[in-house]
Amino acid sequence: MRTDEPIMTLQAHILEQQAHYPEAVGTFSWILSALSISAKVIADKVRRARLENVLGAVGAENVQGEQQQKLDVIANEVLLRTLGRREGVAIVASEENEEPVIIRNDTQGERRYCVLFDPLDGSSNLDVCGGVGTIFSILRHDRRAARPQDSLLQPGSQQVAAGYVLYGPSTVFVLTIGQGVDMFVLDPAIGAFLRVERNIRIPAASKSYSLNEGNRPTFPEGYQRYLDWAQKSGYSARYAGAMVADVHRILLKGGVFMYPPTRKAPDGKLRLMYEANPMAMIVENAGGKALAAPGQRILDVRPEGIHQRTPLILGSPDEVDHVVARLAEAG
Ligand code: AHM
Ligand code: MG
């Protein structure tokens, strides 16, 4: 944190942002404050997981057919309980729940929002004390939608805010509301997130790529060409196996993150609504690029289902361009 700037909490930052919108009545700010409380509770649970014996799988699979970790379930409940009580929330959708939770669907009254989240991304890292995160996306609730849940099916370009929380050596909250990207760190001594950086700009280039190279034999040819090119060009590989940790590194240091289509996951593994859209909004608002394929911006993808998956290429603009050039060569 710079010592020549006033100390600014996340709460104060949200109020400062709200002041730019004279018509705002604070509903949206309440939702962000619920997310900040959830982040503090989840950070505490993650830190105490080994002590309280809540590591490992619950033995059930989530809607995606993946093993649920005990902490996936706990983090999901924390978010549902915190957000479910907030006035301005119409619908909550979680990667861990098959159906969205409709909280309110009145046709009148104040403006309401939909909140989508991945409660604990990269949760298989928990057992080894690796970084994990929460990712969220906020959309305006569309009261005209035929069914309330159809209101969720908006392209990422319609998000009003997006962010993530990284539970690492410190707890970091990265938020974009419309334009800039700002970063906060939890000060455990006072229980508040403090602003440490404003208007983050992603480096335009950095010789670093991040993807699960174990899947290389079944990547489309363009990705193989890219890896050949990058390795000949002196690139480093960095992969935490938790998207929040990988994207956070790229936001600050540059590089490119990819989850390409594979034989096992022909549409890629990552979820459009809970992972790709919020991360794409953050990266674009920091000056980076986020694509599903050459010429296909993530934020323009029209969702057909809330759990749909997408390939993802995201990061420093020059580095994304290098990947796109190799994909285009391969046709
Ligand atoms: P999750 O939401 O079930 O935790 O899965 C998403 C995670 C991402 O954080 C990470 O980038 C990716 O899965 C890693 O997948 P893989 O193990 O196939 O490399
Ligand atoms: Mg995830």
Side-chain angles (χ1 to χ4, degrees), residues 62 66 72 95-96 118 120-124 211-212 215 239 241-244 246 257 259 269-271 275:
N62 69 6
E66 293 154 347
D72 281 327
E95 186 184 296
E96 300 295 332
D118 178 355
L120 210 51
D121 180 68
S123 52
S124 58
L211 85 177
N212 186 341
N215 292 329
Y239 193 63
M243 186 194 192
V244 176
D246 284 316
F257 173 87
Y259 208 107
K269 177 186 178 191
L270 300 174
R271 270 69 33 146
E275 295 168 328

Side-chain angles (χ1 to χ4, degrees), residues 84-106:
R85 312 244 157 175
R86 297 285 152 127
E87 256 301 290
V89 180
I91 305 176
V92 175
S94 164
E95 186 184 296
E96 300 295 332
N97 296 116
E98 183 149 10
E99 296 293 335
V101 181
I102 316 292
I103 307 220
R104 291 172 197 86
N105 187 40
D106 44 359

Side-chain angles (χ1 to χ4, degrees), residues 169-296:
S170 54
T171 302
V172 179
F173 196 116
V174 170
L175 175 67
T176 184
I177 312 175
Q179 288 156 8
V181 179
D182 302 295
M183 178 162 87
F184 306 81
V185 172
L186 181 62
D187 182 340
I190 58 169
F193 282 103
L194 300 182
R195 193 166 71 194
V196 293
E197 205 168 329
R198 299 194 73 174
N199 205 15
I200 296 175
R201 304 305 292 167
I202 193 168
S206 172
K207 289 184 154 193
S208 161
Y209 64 80
S210 184
L211 85 177
N212 186 341
E213 229 171 318
N215 292 329
R216 178 174 177 153
T218 71
F219 287 160
E221 194 201 327
Y223 290 95
Q224 318 239 12
R225 285 190 184 212
Y226 169 78
L227 287 170
D228 287 340
W229 172 84
Q231 286 165 4
K232 276 192 207 119
S233 311
Y235 275 57
S236 292
R238 292 281 181 276
Y239 193 63
M243 186 194 192
V244 176
D246 284 316
V247 173
H248 188 62
R249 184 188 58 253
I250 288 169
L251 187 69
L252 300 185
K253 300 207 163 193
V256 60
F257 173 87
M258 289 166 271
Y259 208 107
T262 62
R263 192 181 307 128
K264 195 169 146 215
D267 296 322
K269 177 186 178 191
L270 300 174
R271 270 69 33 146
L272 176 67
M273 310 291 287
Y274 312 106
E275 295 168 328
N277 271 343
M279 289 308 201
M281 183 181 185
I282 293 165
V283 165
E284 283 203 5
N285 286 352
K289 292 187 178 177
L291 306 177
Q296 175 63 73

Side-chain angles (χ1 to χ4, degrees), residues 34-51:
L35 289 164
S36 140
I37 293 166
S38 301
K40 290 180 205 172
V41 176
I42 297 170
D44 180 58
K45 305 239 178 247
V46 165
R47 198 167 343 106
R48 301 186 56 79
R50 170 71 69 181
L51 298 171

